[in-house]
């Protein structure tokens, strides 16, 4: 009976039917009662801390270039310089830049 069940470690956890629906509602501090009732939990009471993210295993950078505005030799020379800069910047931050893609696109983006 009751309003709780045991988890895998024997700790009590509430049954869904016994959870107060507004206990986890977050509202503006001026509207909250602070006790988890129907008015909700104050936003200032919510922890902002997140566990540190693990470093990425791989990093992809994609650059879109419109080839209609320059000649191929200039475009490729600029792309090589940009690639060198991006590799150096990634290495300086300890990021494994595994893919660098250059997409040639003439036309409207997001159309």
């Amino acid at each position: 009976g009751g309003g709780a069940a045991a988890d895998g470690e024997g700790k009590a956890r509430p049954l869904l039917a016994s959870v107060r629906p507004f206990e986890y509602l977050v509202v503006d501090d001026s509207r909250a009662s602070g006790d988890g009732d129907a008015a909700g939990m104050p936003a200032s009471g919510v922890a902002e801390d997140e566990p540190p993210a693990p470093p990425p295993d791989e990093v992809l950078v994609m650059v879109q270039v419109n080839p209609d505005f320059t000649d191929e030799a200039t475009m490729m020379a600029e792309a090589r310089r940009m690639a060198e800069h991006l590799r150096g910047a990634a290495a300086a931050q300890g990021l494994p830049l595994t893919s660098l893609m250059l997409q040639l696109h003439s036309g409207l983006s997001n159309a």
Side-chain angles (χ1 to χ4, degrees):
D7 65 12
E9 298 176 5
K11 297 178 187 169
R13 59 180 168 78
L15 295 174
L16 184 59
S18 68
V19 173
R20 297 186 325 198
F22 294 103
E23 186 171 353
Y24 301 102
L25 176 68
V26 177
V27 297
D28 181 272
D29 285 356
S30 65
R31 296 184 49 207
S33 70
D35 62 2
D37 67 3
M41 177 190 309
S44 61
V46 177
E48 293 292 329
D49 295 338
E50 292 184 24
D57 294 328
E58 50 191 312
V59 175
L60 165 99
V61 175
M62 179 175 281
V63 178
Q64 189 176 68
V65 177
N66 187 336
D68 294 342
F69 294 100
T70 189
D71 61 275
E72 185 174 347
T74 301
M75 180 178 57
M76 294 312 294
E78 289 294 321
R80 279 192 277 291
R81 282 195 288 273
M82 180 179 55
E84 289 174 23
H85 175 76
L86 289 171
R87 278 190 210 101
Q93 295 294 317
L95 297 172
L97 181 58
T98 55
S99 300
L100 177 58
M101 299 186 171
L102 183 67
Q103 180 183 31
L104 303 180
H105 176 75
S106 55
L108 296 175
S109 295
N110 299 325

mmCIF file of all heavy atoms in Angstrom, residues 2 21 24 38 45 53 55 58-59 64 69 74 77-78 82-83 95 100 108 110:
data_model
loop_
_atom_site.group_PDB
_atom_site.id
_atom_site.type_symbol
_atom_site.label_atom_id
_atom_site.label_comp_id
_atom_site.label_asym_id
_atom_site.label_seq_id
_atom_site.Cartn_x
_atom_site.Cartn_y
_atom_site.Cartn_z
ATOM 1 N N GLY A 2 0.394 2.279 0.655
ATOM 2 C CA GLY A 2 1.135 3.519 0.786
ATOM 3 C C GLY A 2 1.404 4.198 -0.525
ATOM 4 O O GLY A 2 0.903 3.825 -1.557
ATOM 5 N N PRO A 21 1.179 16.797 -8.730
ATOM 6 C CA PRO A 21 1.478 17.228 -10.104
ATOM 7 C C PRO A 21 2.250 18.543 -10.217
ATOM 8 O O PRO A 21 2.990 18.740 -11.166
ATOM 9 C CB PRO A 21 0.110 17.334 -10.762
ATOM 10 C CG PRO A 21 -0.879 17.271 -9.678
ATOM 11 C CD PRO A 21 -0.236 16.653 -8.493
ATOM 12 N N TYR A 24 6.963 19.729 -9.173
ATOM 13 C CA TYR A 24 8.154 19.994 -9.972
ATOM 14 C C TYR A 24 7.952 21.120 -10.973
ATOM 15 O O TYR A 24 8.795 21.351 -11.823
ATOM 16 C CB TYR A 24 8.604 18.712 -10.684
ATOM 17 C CG TYR A 24 8.910 17.623 -9.686
ATOM 18 C CD1 TYR A 24 8.014 16.597 -9.459
ATOM 19 C CD2 TYR A 24 10.074 17.673 -8.928
ATOM 20 C CE1 TYR A 24 8.282 15.619 -8.521
ATOM 21 C CE2 TYR A 24 10.347 16.694 -7.986
ATOM 22 C CZ TYR A 24 9.455 15.670 -7.790
ATOM 23 O OH TYR A 24 9.729 14.712 -6.856
ATOM 24 N N ALA A 38 0.631 23.903 -5.449
ATOM 25 C CA ALA A 38 0.111 24.224 -6.775
ATOM 26 C C ALA A 38 0.717 25.490 -7.363
ATOM 27 O O ALA A 38 0.675 25.689 -8.560
ATOM 28 C CB ALA A 38 -1.412 24.350 -6.722
ATOM 29 N N GLY A 45 15.206 28.318 -6.878
ATOM 30 C CA GLY A 45 15.482 27.096 -6.152
ATOM 31 C C GLY A 45 15.972 25.957 -7.025
ATOM 32 O O GLY A 45 16.277 24.880 -6.533
ATOM 33 N N ALA A 53 30.938 18.042 -18.938
ATOM 34 C CA ALA A 53 30.786 17.232 -20.152
ATOM 35 C C ALA A 53 32.109 16.571 -20.491
ATOM 36 O O ALA A 53 33.169 17.166 -20.322
ATOM 37 C CB ALA A 53 30.332 18.122 -21.307
ATOM 38 N N PRO A 55 35.148 15.331 -22.814
ATOM 39 C CA PRO A 55 35.704 15.943 -24.029
ATOM 40 C C PRO A 55 35.226 15.171 -25.258
ATOM 41 O O PRO A 55 35.013 13.953 -25.188
ATOM 42 C CB PRO A 55 37.216 15.825 -23.845
ATOM 43 C CG PRO A 55 37.400 14.742 -22.846
ATOM 44 C CD PRO A 55 36.175 14.732 -21.980
ATOM 45 N N GLU A 58 35.550 13.479 -31.386
ATOM 46 C CA GLU A 58 35.804 13.982 -32.728
ATOM 47 C C GLU A 58 35.066 15.303 -32.922
ATOM 48 O O GLU A 58 34.070 15.567 -32.280
ATOM 49 C CB GLU A 58 35.378 12.964 -33.787
ATOM 50 C CG GLU A 58 33.976 12.416 -33.612
ATOM 51 C CD GLU A 58 33.704 11.243 -34.522
ATOM 52 O OE1 GLU A 58 34.000 11.346 -35.723
ATOM 53 O OE2 GLU A 58 33.196 10.233 -34.036
ATOM 54 N N VAL A 59 35.614 16.128 -33.802
ATOM 55 C CA VAL A 59 35.034 17.442 -34.089
ATOM 56 C C VAL A 59 34.944 17.599 -35.597
ATOM 57 O O VAL A 59 35.911 17.338 -36.316
ATOM 58 C CB VAL A 59 35.894 18.577 -33.489
ATOM 59 C CG1 VAL A 59 35.355 19.941 -33.896
ATOM 60 C CG2 VAL A 59 35.964 18.449 -31.975
ATOM 61 N N GLN A 64 30.567 26.546 -45.681
ATOM 62 C CA GLN A 64 29.867 26.666 -46.959
ATOM 63 C C GLN A 64 30.398 27.888 -47.701
ATOM 64 O O GLN A 64 30.501 28.968 -47.136
ATOM 65 C CB GLN A 64 28.368 26.818 -46.704
ATOM 66 C CG GLN A 64 27.524 26.726 -47.941
ATOM 67 C CD GLN A 64 26.049 26.799 -47.600
ATOM 68 O OE1 GLN A 64 25.575 27.833 -47.168
ATOM 69 N NE2 GLN A 64 25.349 25.690 -47.773
ATOM 70 N N PHE A 69 31.533 33.983 -56.488
ATOM 71 C CA PHE A 69 32.082 35.302 -56.217
ATOM 72 C C PHE A 69 33.606 35.371 -56.262
ATOM 73 O O PHE A 69 34.182 36.404 -55.926
ATOM 74 C CB PHE A 69 31.563 35.807 -54.866
ATOM 75 C CG PHE A 69 30.080 36.046 -54.891
ATOM 76 C CD1 PHE A 69 29.198 35.115 -54.360
ATOM 77 C CD2 PHE A 69 29.565 37.172 -55.485
ATOM 78 C CE1 PHE A 69 27.829 35.327 -54.392
ATOM 79 C CE2 PHE A 69 28.195 37.393 -55.530
ATOM 80 C CZ PHE A 69 27.326 36.470 -54.986
ATOM 81 N N THR A 74 41.809 31.233 -55.985
ATOM 82 C CA THR A 74 41.708 32.081 -54.787
ATOM 83 C C THR A 74 40.898 31.377 -53.705
ATOM 84 O O THR A 74 41.275 31.371 -52.526
ATOM 85 C CB THR A 74 41.055 33.434 -55.140
ATOM 86 O OG1 THR A 74 41.837 34.073 -56.136
ATOM 87 C CG2 THR A 74 40.935 34.324 -53.918
ATOM 88 N N ALA A 77 42.969 28.574 -52.151
ATOM 89 C CA ALA A 77 44.055 29.116 -51.323
ATOM 90 C C ALA A 77 43.501 29.598 -49.982
ATOM 91 O O ALA A 77 44.092 29.341 -48.921
ATOM 92 C CB ALA A 77 44.770 30.242 -52.061
ATOM 93 N N GLU A 78 42.368 30.281 -50.012
ATOM 94 C CA GLU A 78 41.732 30.754 -48.769
ATOM 95 C C GLU A 78 41.266 29.563 -47.925
ATOM 96 O O GLU A 78 41.403 29.580 -46.700
ATOM 97 C CB GLU A 78 40.554 31.675 -49.087
ATOM 98 C CG GLU A 78 40.961 33.021 -49.635
ATOM 99 C CD GLU A 78 41.714 33.855 -48.609
ATOM 100 O OE1 GLU A 78 41.349 33.829 -47.404
ATOM 101 O OE2 GLU A 78 42.670 34.535 -49.007
ATOM 102 N N MET A 82 42.395 28.775 -44.140
ATOM 103 C CA MET A 82 41.384 28.620 -43.100
ATOM 104 C C MET A 82 41.537 27.257 -42.418
ATOM 105 O O MET A 82 41.448 27.164 -41.191
ATOM 106 C CB MET A 82 39.984 28.743 -43.694
ATOM 107 C CG MET A 82 38.892 28.595 -42.663
ATOM 108 S SD MET A 82 37.241 28.753 -43.346
ATOM 109 C CE MET A 82 37.281 27.520 -44.628
ATOM 110 N N ALA A 83 41.798 26.208 -43.191
ATOM 111 C CA ALA A 83 41.970 24.869 -42.627
ATOM 112 C C ALA A 83 43.161 24.833 -41.670
ATOM 113 O O ALA A 83 43.073 24.255 -40.577
ATOM 114 C CB ALA A 83 42.150 23.850 -43.747
ATOM 115 N N LEU A 95 41.088 19.960 -28.853
ATOM 116 C CA LEU A 95 39.968 19.338 -29.564
ATOM 117 C C LEU A 95 40.481 18.523 -30.748
ATOM 118 O O LEU A 95 41.295 19.016 -31.530
ATOM 119 C CB LEU A 95 39.000 20.414 -30.065
ATOM 120 C CG LEU A 95 38.321 21.247 -28.982
ATOM 121 C CD1 LEU A 95 37.546 22.390 -29.600
ATOM 122 C CD2 LEU A 95 37.419 20.365 -28.130
ATOM 123 N N LEU A 100 37.071 18.225 -41.678
ATOM 124 C CA LEU A 100 36.900 19.610 -42.122
ATOM 125 C C LEU A 100 36.350 19.527 -43.536
ATOM 126 O O LEU A 100 36.993 18.991 -44.433
ATOM 127 C CB LEU A 100 38.234 20.356 -42.097
ATOM 128 C CG LEU A 100 38.224 21.789 -42.593
ATOM 129 C CD1 LEU A 100 37.244 22.649 -41.812
ATOM 130 C CD2 LEU A 100 39.621 22.378 -42.501
ATOM 131 N N LEU A 108 20.317 30.248 -52.488
ATOM 132 C CA LEU A 108 19.837 30.712 -51.207
ATOM 133 C C LEU A 108 20.008 29.632 -50.151
ATOM 134 O O LEU A 108 19.745 28.460 -50.398
ATOM 135 C CB LEU A 108 18.366 31.088 -51.303
ATOM 136 C CG LEU A 108 18.036 32.248 -52.233
ATOM 137 C CD1 LEU A 108 16.529 32.420 -52.308
ATOM 138 C CD2 LEU A 108 18.702 33.511 -51.772
ATOM 139 N N ASN A 110 18.813 28.054 -46.501
ATOM 140 C CA ASN A 110 17.580 27.960 -45.698
ATOM 141 C C ASN A 110 16.344 28.396 -46.459
ATOM 142 O O ASN A 110 15.438 28.975 -45.898
ATOM 143 C CB ASN A 110 17.713 28.794 -44.421
ATOM 144 C CG ASN A 110 18.845 28.323 -43.557
ATOM 145 O OD1 ASN A 110 19.115 27.127 -43.500
ATOM 146 N ND2 ASN A 110 19.508 29.235 -42.888
#
